[in-house]
Amino acid sequence: MKKIAVFPGSFDPFTIGHEGIVRRALTLFDEIIIAVGANALKKSYYSLETRKTMISSVFADEPRINIDHYEGLTVDYCKRKGANYILRGLRTAADFEFERAIAQVNKAMAYDIESVFLLTVPEHTPINSSIVRDIIRSGGDASRFVPAAINLKDYRGEED
Ligand code: ADP
């Protein structure tokens, strides 16, 4: 059976931390779906379409990675896609506690779906989308924190 993993997140924006997790996970799974969670209640900085375009540009040469979005429960989305794994990245103990609760609740809802966690490399530990957004909002240069394929200048003015 094909091993399909869903990597769900806000990716607002997608960072080198996210990229690192996805590239390393390619050795574990046949296919990875990077699924942007469309949360009507949570205001994003970049629009859904912009976030998907940014991520697509990073993995243009990688046929085993697909970009999508979803609403509702992650486990329901996984079932629709035939994915048995949820991929998440861990930076700190705080991430662990947050992820533990989500993964255990997901397990209770969908026993066949396994959450798989990869620990980030030390140099990516301090990187998070909210700090990257703050840098962009304040007119700083955040390019070193996002994948090389994403030219943030191209997305100026596309904030939601
Ligand atoms: P969410 O809103 O679901 O937390 P994020 O886009 O913030 O979405 O994160 C998606 C996933 O990527 C989460 O598992 C998060 O822990 C992980 N992640 C975020 N930043 C990094 C990083 N620098 N290194 C490794 N994993 C990360």
Side-chain angles (χ1 to χ4, degrees), residues 7 9-11 17-18 21 42 88-89 91 99 120 124 127:
F7 184 43
S10 313
F11 309 123
H18 297 128
I21 297 293
K42 203 166 142 189
R88 297 285 284 178
R91 290 161 293 190
E99 298 292 341
T120 192
H124 290 170
I127 301 173

Side-chain angles (χ1 to χ4, degrees), residues 6-24:
V6 167
F7 184 43
S10 313
F11 309 123
D12 190 25
F14 197 80
T15 68
I16 53 173
H18 297 128
E19 181 188 20
I21 297 293
V22 173
R23 291 205 190 276
R24 284 165 55 203

Side-chain angles (χ1 to χ4, degrees), residues 46-105:
Y46 288 108
S47 70
L48 179 61
E49 278 317 309
T50 298
R51 283 179 277 160
K52 286 172 69 179
T53 305
M54 285 179 175
I55 303 169
S56 301
S57 70
V58 178
F59 300 109
D61 298 330
E62 185 44 76
R64 292 195 293 130
I65 297 179
N66 292 304
I67 323 300
D68 195 10
H69 71 273
Y70 71 103
E71 281 175 65
L73 291 177
T74 305
V75 289
D76 289 342
Y77 175 76
C78 288
K79 285 180 193 162
R80 288 202 294 280
K81 292 289 167 179
N84 286 313
Y85 303 93
I86 296 174
L87 173 66
R88 297 285 284 178
L90 291 178
R91 290 161 293 190
T92 59
D95 270 359
F96 172 76
E97 273 308 315
F98 180 70
E99 298 292 341
R100 182 188 56 75
I102 298 174
Q104 289 176 334
V105 170

